[in-house]
Amino acid sequence: MQTNLLETPIEYLKGVGPNRGALLRKELGIYKYSHLLNFFPNRYIDRTRYYKINELQNNVAEVQIIGKIINVKTVEFGKNQKRLVATFVDDTGQMELVWFQGHKWIRESLKLNEICVVFGKCTSFGNTFNMAHPEIELMTEHEQNLRSAMQPVYPSTETLTNRGVSNRVINKLMQQLFQETQALFSETLPDYLIVELKLIPKNVALFNIHFPKSAEVLAKAKFRLIFEELFFIQLQLITKNLIRKHKIKGHPFTKVGDYFNTFFQNHLPFELTNAQKRVIKEIRVDMGSNAQMNRLLQGDVGSGKTIVALMSMLIALDNDFQSCLMAPTEILANQHFNGLTQLAKELNINIKILTGSTKTADRKIIHEELENGSLHILIGTHALLEDKVRFQNLGLAVIDEQHRFGVEQRSKLWKKNEIPPHVLVMTATPIPRTLAMSLYGDLDISVIDELPPGRKPIQTVHRFDSNRLKVWKFIRDEIAIGRQIYIVYPLIQESEKMDFKDLMDGYESISRDFPLPQYSISILHGKKKPADKAAEMKRFTEGKTNIMVATTVIEVGVNIPNASVMIIESAERFGLSQLHQLRGRVGRGADQSYCILMTSHKLSVDSKTRIETMVSTNDGFEIAEVDLKLRGPGDLMGTQQSGVLNLQIADLVRDRDILLLARNYAKEILKNDGQLQKAEHATMRIVFIEMTKKKNIWNYIS
């Protein structure tokens, strides 16, 4: 059909009008016919069965009953509150229909003594069943309606329900839409794909997702629409990757020279793992081609990403280019600076750090050295993005924990050069494969999936608050043999006052249990000034304090090999990836390390799952998969990526296999017809062009 009919504003659909149109736009984002068409049910109810009143049970899922209303009255209850009650009968008994709102228009719409069908959920009071806010249809209407055995239930909001836009209303609007468009929707996929995958046609799929004839046809409709959604997303991501490789020229780093080789042969502090070797090779190949590298490096906490970043920077240096490394916090930037300076101390390289607290005089030197090319590697925070920071020739930009940086911030780095630098994005947050393929489908991905040899797996245990004395004894024993301890408290923005109090209360009771001069305690939280934070970290790093009491400030990147115990207070209040990141702060040295998750006895089902997962595995990818199931993709990426994967029907956890299938087909098609110019791809090309016009998240990813 002509797509222009689907572009019609929603208020022009019979039964909508301006007021309801405004409501649908605000509550559900439905602006046009096409938005309503793609507003899919989230579950279905079997409407083939009719119950009798004497068959009813308490709290049965929704039921439908044929009968008639014989009277209506208003009943007062509580203080100034009223409910509308109708007596409904069939040949086996009677029940009550109840409304707490909208009395006036409901009373006007009720027809007495006419056969009708009521539908809703039943509860019993005494010997009488009642149904609150039921759907009611006269039998004559009920028989005429476009009805399927499986009744769709659409997502809704409280405002819609209160304003009378019930599931039944949405259903009626959907029927109206199908009548106006005559269900003639254009096919979007090539014929050969439909045949090969045994897909049902597009218009059959759309009709049956809203009005399924049977459970079997519904399953086919879902498969068809899920495949299509994921297929076009993958088509877009893979195309972006290919276009970028053709269009965006990079600096070809053709030689691997003295800096790299000297470091590799003489100064490596330990043997590289096979995973590190593989990743360095992938990066070398990328930077050696004429295209700009855009690579995501995933590696669990402690897997050795920093050394890979340094070796990539040495390749840039061998080709006379500068590098920078941008980190989300000062603590992490300092950590990288200290780590890289230590690793490269024999190489005669100029490495400097630039953060918010860098002094003006030092800044001046950094700016001069950057522009004259004598500064080889600059490490820093957002301060690197300032306009004053100009490189002579930036060849490689490494970004750590990139999900903490917005898109505009990243693009500022690209603009520091005429030819954009190669980009290596690093994350210690393991991203499930399905999410990586969807979120970062236009990036090339490298994974360091093994830990350096000699690292002992961290032992994780769960303890209730009532076991605290035993835990404290364990800490004393560890301190006695020279180890250091982290004790972390949650910090959740909404209730910062309460959290700060938790932390300070905790600090006071720990100070009582571990008194001076035998024990010394550091404290670290977001309200401290950067200089004070640095001083506390320094004391702990140098072993002058035994215990670090902190909020999640220490989550990312702090590296203290002598710290062997991580205690996480109120562990039930943390997300899985945060728990995993925190645990990664210990286990940095050769000694056995421990992570103790402290919780109250009251745990929700999700909290239990999180704690059990942490105790049973150290594998970040396994943890990330559980996290994805618990939280869903939007949450997993944090607020900065919210709106990410605003999928209409697909679900990355449930539909993982379909995603793989869709990606493989998209790759194959683009390999043989990169521009989608072949005749059999004509309809697909039209849909693809329409998609790329939309300014949704897909056009911004990485």
Side-chain angles (χ1 to χ4, degrees):
M1 69 170 292
Q2 314 91 336
T3 44
N4 48 6
L5 182 54
L6 288 177
E7 293 300 302
T8 312
I10 196 65
E11 51 266 39
Y12 293 107
L13 185 70
K14 188 181 170 192
V16 178
N19 290 348
R20 212 170 245 182
L23 203 58
L24 290 173
R25 279 197 296 275
K26 182 168 180 274
E27 294 296 308
L28 300 172
I30 294 173
Y31 287 77
K32 303 184 287 197
Y33 281 21
S34 60
H35 294 148
L36 181 62
L37 180 67
N38 291 307
F39 180 59
F40 299 121
N42 53 7
R43 63 191 180 93
Y44 298 83
I45 295 163
D46 182 359
R47 291 289 291 256
T48 51
R49 178 168 177 198
Y50 296 90
Y51 284 77
K52 294 286 188 185
I53 291 174
N54 68 355
E55 294 176 316
L56 295 178
Q57 294 167 357
N58 207 8
N59 279 330
V60 173
E62 292 97 333
V63 293
Q64 53 189 358
I65 309 161
I66 301 170
K68 56 188 180 187
I69 293 171
I70 53 170
N71 73 25
V72 183
K73 60 185 178 191
T74 303
V75 178
E76 291 194 10
F77 69 102
K79 200 176 178 186
N80 303 329
Q81 289 182 298
K82 294 178 182 176
R83 62 173 179 253
L84 190 66
V85 180
T87 306
F88 179 77
V89 300
D90 70 0
D91 53 5
T92 69
Q94 71 174 40
M95 63 183 291
E96 291 182 340
L97 310 178
V98 186
W99 294 267
F100 298 96
Q101 284 157 330
H103 295 181
K104 187 172 178 291
W105 64 268
I106 289 169
R107 191 183 263 271
E108 285 166 8
S109 67
L110 295 177
K111 305 266 192 298
L112 293 186
N113 298 311
E114 291 201 34
I115 299 293
C116 61
V117 178
V118 298
F119 174 77
K121 203 167 180 180
C122 286
T123 47
S124 68
F125 284 99
N127 297 326
T128 312
F129 274 95
N130 71 27
M131 190 183 278
H133 289 266
E135 286 181 19
I136 302 181
E137 266 181 317
L138 289 175
M139 196 65 189
T140 46
E141 267 179 44
H142 184 75
E143 284 167 342
Q144 282 169 0
N145 268 336
L146 182 58
R147 177 169 312 284
S148 58
M150 317 280 291
Q151 170 83 42
V153 179
Y154 293 92
S156 187
T157 67
E158 202 176 337
T159 308
L160 286 174
T161 311
N162 291 344
R163 298 275 295 274
V165 181
S166 63
N167 195 59
R168 181 166 160 233
V169 168
I170 298 280
N171 210 311
K172 281 202 134 154
L173 296 179
M174 206 61 84
Q175 293 181 32
Q176 183 61 34
L177 178 70
F178 273 81
Q179 279 160 10
E180 282 190 31
T181 55
Q182 297 178 323
L184 297 171
F185 306 115
S186 315
E187 190 46 77
T188 49
L189 296 171
D191 293 344
Y192 69 86
L193 203 56
I194 291 170
V195 172
E196 220 169 290
L197 289 167
K198 299 189 174 69
L199 300 174
I200 59 174
K202 173 89 176 198
N203 49 7
V204 177
L206 282 168
F207 184 83
N208 279 285
I209 203 85
H210 293 294
F211 310 105
K213 298 260 190 330
S214 68
E216 190 188 354
V217 185
L218 175 62
K220 287 181 176 170
K222 277 184 173 173
F223 182 85
R224 154 75 211 229
L225 295 170
I226 290 166
F227 175 84
E228 182 178 332
E229 180 169 35
L230 294 171
F231 172 76
F232 278 106
I233 287 168
Q234 292 302 323
L235 211 55
Q236 219 180 336
L237 289 168
I238 295 163
T239 304
K240 277 185 69 180
N241 194 351
L242 295 171
I243 288 173
R244 205 194 61 251
K245 285 182 175 170
H246 285 295
K247 264 194 179 171
I248 304 182
K249 294 291 168 239
H251 304 287
F253 292 172
T254 48
K255 65 179 187 210
V256 174
D258 290 348
Y259 282 113
F260 183 92
N261 289 327
T262 306
F263 180 75
F264 185 70
Q265 284 154 16
N266 307 329
H267 304 301
L268 260 183
F270 46 76
E271 174 79 19
L272 294 178
T273 62
N274 288 329
Q276 284 172 315
K277 287 176 187 166
R278 183 186 71 239
V279 168
I280 290 168
K281 192 173 175 187
E282 289 166 351
I283 291 169
R284 273 173 57 177
V285 170
D286 270 5
M287 298 198 300
S289 73
N290 282 320
Q292 180 213 18
M293 172 172 83
N294 209 10
R295 190 168 277 281
L296 171 69
L297 173 57
Q298 279 185 266
D300 219 334
V301 177
S303 61
K305 294 183 296 297
T306 311
I307 206 155
V308 170
L310 173 65
M311 292 175 82
S312 309
M313 290 169 169
L314 295 179
I315 295 173
L317 201 49
D318 279 331
N319 289 273
D320 301 319
F321 282 92
Q322 295 163 302
S323 301
C324 69
L325 190 159
M326 187 162 78
T329 63
E330 281 202 22
I331 286 183
L332 191 49
N334 276 306
Q335 174 99 18
H336 278 304
F337 175 67
N338 296 333
L340 291 179
T341 310
Q342 180 62 28
L343 284 168
K345 63 177 186 284
E346 307 290 337
L347 294 177
N348 194 21
I349 296 177
N350 186 0
I351 304 178
K352 288 212 162 64
I353 181 166
L354 178 66
T355 67
S357 42
T358 305
K359 294 188 174 72
T360 312
D362 295 337
R363 276 172 190 266
K364 199 163 171 277
I365 295 167
I366 287 171
H367 292 158
E368 279 170 17
E369 289 185 350
L370 271 185
E371 290 191 47
N372 68 30
S374 64
L375 179 51
H376 303 128
I377 295 174
L378 180 61
I379 292 161
T381 53
H382 297 75
L384 298 187
L385 303 173
E386 292 164 7
D387 293 336
K388 284 181 191 159
V389 178
R390 293 200 187 93
F391 293 81
Q392 188 187 61
N393 53 358
L394 179 62
L396 171 65
V398 181
I399 300 177
D400 197 17
E401 293 302 333
Q402 73 113 31
H403 58 277
R404 304 219 178 171
F405 294 104
V407 174
E408 307 78 45
Q409 293 170 318
R410 299 201 297 263
S411 67
K412 271 189 182 174
L413 260 188
W414 301 183
K415 292 171 185 157
K416 300 270 181 193
N417 268 31
E418 273 176 49
I419 296 182
H422 293 296
V423 179
L424 181 65
V425 165
M426 303 198 300
T427 179
T429 307
I431 302 160
R433 190 163 171 224
T434 42
L435 200 55
M437 277 191 300
S438 307
L439 272 176
Y440 301 113
D442 59 334
L443 284 169
D444 297 305
I445 297 178
S446 291
V447 178
I448 303 181
D449 48 11
E450 56 181 312
L451 289 177
R455 286 270 171 96
K456 293 189 177 121
I458 300 160
Q459 282 186 21
T460 304
V461 294
H462 172 213
R463 296 288 179 262
F464 292 111
D465 292 334
S466 50
N467 304 117
R468 191 170 296 281
L469 289 177
K470 280 185 181 167
V471 173
W472 269 195
K473 180 185 182 308
F474 175 69
I475 294 179
R476 287 194 187 90
D477 294 346
E478 284 292 294
I479 292 173
I481 53 172
R483 307 274 181 267
Q484 288 168 286
I485 318 291
Y486 290 110
I487 302 178
V488 177
Y489 286 82
L491 185 69
I492 300 162
Q493 244 51 52
E494 287 83 4
S495 55
E496 210 169 290
K497 285 193 183 73
M498 184 181 99
D499 291 316
F500 190 63
K501 182 179 174 299
D502 281 359
L503 176 80
M504 296 320 287
D505 286 354
Y507 175 66
E508 279 170 26
S509 74
I510 291 161
S511 302
R512 281 196 299 275
D513 292 334
F514 295 88
L516 284 161
Q518 193 180 352
Y519 300 100
S520 176
I521 302 171
S522 287
I523 182 165
L524 197 62
H525 53 78
K527 292 189 175 175
K528 271 192 183 291
K529 293 187 177 121
D532 296 340
K533 276 189 207 168
E536 287 291 291
M537 275 310 303
K538 190 164 182 283
R539 286 175 64 212
F540 192 61
T541 308
E542 290 169 355
K544 290 178 180 162
T545 55
N546 315 102
I547 298 174
M548 164 72 77
V549 178
T551 57
T552 49
V553 183
I554 60 135
E555 174 188 337
V556 178
V558 180
N559 185 11
I560 295 164
N562 193 43
S564 65
V565 183
M566 166 63 72
I567 293 177
I568 304 175
E569 294 284 355
S570 308
E572 70 270 28
R573 285 171 62 188
F574 289 90
L576 253 180
S577 65
Q578 232 185 350
L579 289 171
H580 181 61
Q581 286 279 354
L582 285 168
R583 172 167 64 186
R585 298 299 112 231
V586 295
R588 305 293 226 168
D591 303 307
Q592 178 62 61
S593 290
Y594 305 89
C595 175
I596 302 173
L597 306 172
M598 303 292 296
T599 71
S600 64
H601 279 277
K602 263 189 177 160
L603 291 178
S604 68
V605 176
D606 279 3
S607 298
K608 265 198 184 116
T609 306
R610 289 198 295 269
I611 302 289
E612 282 163 9
T613 305
M614 286 294 294
V615 171
S616 66
T617 180
N618 278 305
D619 181 334
F621 288 93
E622 208 178 304
I623 287 167
E625 291 287 352
V626 178
D627 209 15
L628 182 61
K629 281 182 184 137
L630 288 176
R631 291 203 288 163
D635 277 355
L636 205 59
M637 299 318 296
T639 49
Q640 228 149 359
Q641 309 270 5
S642 60
V644 158
L645 299 183
N646 201 351
L647 297 171
Q648 288 171 315
I649 191 165
D651 173 314
L652 287 184
V653 180
R654 184 194 64 209
D655 304 323
R656 176 186 179 144
D657 295 344
I658 307 178
L659 172 65
L660 287 167
L661 187 70
R663 186 168 175 82
N664 290 338
Y665 270 100
K667 268 186 178 167
E668 195 58 32
I669 287 169
L670 289 169
K671 198 167 103 182
N672 299 320
D673 182 16
Q675 304 290 312
L676 303 180
Q677 298 289 11
K678 291 183 179 173
E680 67 258 37
H681 295 151
T683 49
M684 195 164 77
R685 183 180 163 81
I686 293 164
V687 179
F688 181 73
I689 289 168
E690 273 309 303
M691 260 188 91
T692 44
K693 281 182 194 165
K694 287 179 187 161
K695 280 271 181 261
N696 64 0
I697 187 74
W698 302 113
N699 298 339
Y700 293 127
I701 287 175
S702 46

